[in-house]
Amino acid sequence: MEMASAFTLHVRLDNVAVVSIDVPGEKMNTLKAEFASQVRAILKQIRDNKDLRGVVFISAKPDNFIAGADINMIGNCRSAQEAETLARQGQQMMAEINALPIPVIAAIHGACLGGGLEMALACHSRICTDDVKTVLGLPEVQLGLLPGSGGTQRLPRLIGVSTALDMILTGKQLRAKQALKVGLVDEVVPQTILLEAAVELAKKESSVHHSLPVRERILAGPLGRALLFRMVGKKTAQKTQGNYPATHRILEVIETGLAQGSSSGYDAEARAFGDLAMTPQSQALRNVFFANTDVKKDPGSEVQPGPLNSVAVLGGGLMGGGIAYVTACKGGLPVRIKDINAKGINHALKYSWDQLETKVRRRHLKAGERDKQLALISGTTDFRGFAHRDLVIEAVFEDLALKQQMVADIEHNCAPHTIFASNTSSLPISDIAANAVRPEQVIGLHFFSPVEKMPLVEVIPHTTTSERTIATTVKLAKKQGKTPIVVQDKAGFYVNRILAPYINEAIRLLTEGERVEQIDAALVKFGFPVGPIQLLDEVGIDTGTKIIPVLEAAYGERFSAPANVVASILNDDRKGRKNGRGFYLYGAKGRKSKKQVDPAIYTLIGVQGQSKLSGPQIAERCVMLMLNEAARCFDEKIIRSARDGDIGAVFGIGFPPFLGGPFRYMDSLGAGEVVAVLQRLTTQYGSRFTPCEPLLQMAERGESFWKHGETDLNS
């Protein structure tokens, strides 16, 4: 039986052909290699019909045009040649669309990304809806690739080289208004008239021609171009630290096309696409993408979730305010904030107001929409309005007695089905639930700071938490736009447990005389977004070090921090960015103020900052401790799978995505190599580097964390 075609041709009475795109059985339209013959057949019909005045490509899906090409196609390629052939087929298809002798219009509503945008670029004009769902972009770089169906050649010619570079190198997505402004689309219309407006555009003999802004025209000349590529190349190398080969190839391919003409450009694009598809970085980034999609589909439990109609938050501090904001404004759920005084409530409300107001100012949101979202958040200093809340998130001080009191208050003032979720970073959930009447409805829900930016949450059931409670909490986290992983209720849970030895080692390096900026630079070079010491400043030294004694009490001395260093820093009233002084000094807010290392730190610690180690040696010590701890978590089943462990580390602490996460990275090194490095470090620096038993066994048996076939392609 032949598969139903994803493309249907309908000729209207006014002789405009409408090609609707609807991939059977899928929520999103994605381009697959097997569609090439279907498109060819339709293009032949169009060419044969001499009466046609124009063609419109439109999606039959309710909320997306084409979300990109099917990534599995790349995973199925066994060599660079195969991936290159794939790109040339894509280029060929787009060239045939572009060569039609009558006007071809892309009518875009919803996501138009990657291969979808390349198809729209091959059309003669583009029109899109003013809907919030409509976004246009080329995100291939995020998978370690570049656009392979002509995007690197068509986009710079359409919107100018500097705007195109910005889009292709960052993968950023443009909204309708932005796309119109840069000349990526020719018209923006309401969704109700998209087809009619596209048909009218198709009937026009000549397509709309934008003249590029003067700046872009100058940059397109040989001198401007040389200058631009030099500048952008420098900036990109600084950002990527040489860890992402795709960015360099993107610059190369676009420059080739502009300097030597588009046929050389298409050729370079296909070759680069083939090479990049085989790089370990792209494989790792694609694995992270698949694993993340997989986690987002995972309901966390076999049982159906309970109701989720309204939520409450206890505590109006920074965390409470952030949690209320994502619940109401991302999740669309009514939220009630309780605090002991009106000041806390106002603080939390102001937090949401500031977030939304910024969106209104940037024109991402209409003022009426802002008011509608804010109206979902209310505040109280007692338990009025709590009787029917389905789930209450507690975000008060890290004090066990206080949290236990909160559980009792919620059980007394809420419905029998209400779930109590604690945002604790260090206290065991079983202790919080110890005196509960309904312990099966107590669970941990650990957010990371700042809540609105960090994508990860840890969902932490204790031994008696019910499956229904887990399913409901996972459902809420997804509504809030988060990626949830379910982890066991042991000290530090997962993310903080693997982070603590990493940060401890960075502080130990300080006490040995290494300089703050050198330590941070070494780990940024390794691929982390910020260095460990800057991270401690960002989180707050007081908050970040709270967890160390908890971990030390649970797991012994491998978690002990270097003696008195932290205490002497805290005693000097250094909390990090929140009070303007930590390891770094933070100037007054403003664009110009740069943070700089405070030289007084070295006196406080009692060392002269003199570097003895190289960057790779510094990175190795911090990262190896993190990997060893991650292997222990895997063995103890703190995380349910290598997938969850990788996602938790990439999205929770910014573990380098191009390495795929700690478990993918250990698999790529091989357990034997990880053990050998840890043994060498044990000899050099002491017993905290002793490789854990599970790693030794894996090295002996030649095992890996990811089971063959457990990954990407079957998602």
Side-chain angles (χ1 to χ4, degrees), residues 387-506:
H388 298 292
R389 301 281 154 178
D390 299 310
L391 192 147
V392 178
I393 304 171
E394 165 274 304
V396 299
F397 290 111
E398 290 285 271
D399 176 307
L400 183 60
L402 177 64
K403 289 182 191 276
Q404 288 176 337
Q405 182 57 50
M406 293 286 149
V407 173
D409 287 347
I410 293 303
E411 291 188 322
H412 182 65
N413 289 289
C414 292
H417 75 275
T418 305
I419 291 170
F420 181 97
S422 171
N423 173 50
T424 177
S425 55
S426 60
L427 297 170
I429 310 300
S430 55
D431 291 358
I432 296 171
N435 309 328
V437 178
R438 293 186 285 275
E440 66 281 5
Q441 284 161 228
V442 177
I443 194 166
L445 184 58
H446 178 211
F447 293 83
F448 294 85
S449 180
V451 176
E452 78 285 357
K453 285 204 180 85
M454 294 296 282
L456 189 82
V457 291
E458 292 179 309
V459 173
I460 312 134
H462 61 99
T463 42
T464 57
T465 304
S466 73
E467 290 292 324
R468 184 173 158 110
T469 300
I470 299 175
T472 315
T473 312
V474 165
K475 184 179 167 185
L476 171 70
K478 288 178 185 171
K479 270 190 171 299
Q480 295 166 324
K482 302 294 175 197
T483 300
I485 59 167
V486 178
V487 302
Q488 250 203 68
D489 183 24
K490 290 265 195 74
F493 312 131
Y494 170 64
V495 171
N496 281 342
R497 180 166 161 190
I498 65 171
L499 187 61
Y502 166 87
I503 288 186
N504 268 347
E505 196 60 20

Side-chain angles (χ1 to χ4, degrees), residues 507-526:
I507 295 176
R508 196 169 271 107
L509 282 156
L510 265 184
T511 60
E512 290 171 18
E514 297 299 325
R515 300 189 70 80
V516 172
E517 62 274 35
Q518 260 153 317
I519 299 171
D520 278 350
L523 284 134
V524 165
K525 177 81 187 136
F526 184 80

Side-chain angles (χ1 to χ4, degrees), residues 134-183:
T134 301
V135 285
L136 297 91
L138 293 170
E140 286 84 350
V141 68
Q142 294 163 0
L143 299 173
L145 299 164
L146 51 58
S149 299
T152 65
Q153 303 307 303
R154 285 200 174 93
L155 192 64
R157 287 174 174 77
L158 180 68
I159 64 173
V161 57
S162 79
T163 316
L165 278 174
D166 186 37
M167 275 182 75
I168 299 173
L169 284 168
T170 61
K172 73 165 165 207
Q173 299 175 9
L174 301 186
R175 291 180 175 78
K177 293 245 175 68
Q178 296 165 300
L180 182 67
K181 195 173 167 193
V182 300

Side-chain angles (χ1 to χ4, degrees), residues 69 128 140 178 302 404 482 588 616-617 630 706 713:
C128 75
E140 286 84 350
Q178 296 165 300
E302 305 287 304
Q404 288 176 337
K482 302 294 175 197
Q617 287 172 312
W706 279 83
L713 303 176

Side-chain angles (χ1 to χ4, degrees), residues 34 43 46 62-63 153 268 366 478 542 622:
E34 57 262 34
L43 296 179
I46 293 170
D63 55 6
Q153 303 307 303
K366 292 194 169 68
K478 288 178 185 171
D542 50 345
C622 296

Side-chain angles (χ1 to χ4, degrees), residues 76-129:
N76 295 332
C77 295
R78 293 287 159 255
S79 66
Q81 281 72 31
E82 281 182 37
E84 183 180 328
T85 307
L86 208 59
R88 291 195 192 277
Q89 284 167 345
Q91 289 178 349
Q92 184 61 34
M93 184 167 110
M94 304 311 173
E96 286 178 38
I97 294 174
N98 190 254
L100 287 173
I102 50 177
V104 184
I105 315 296
I108 302 164
H109 168 67
C112 171
L113 301 170
L117 181 56
E118 290 183 290
M119 188 165 156
L121 287 168
C123 299
H124 304 150
S125 294
R126 286 146 295 284
I127 182 167
C128 75
T129 65

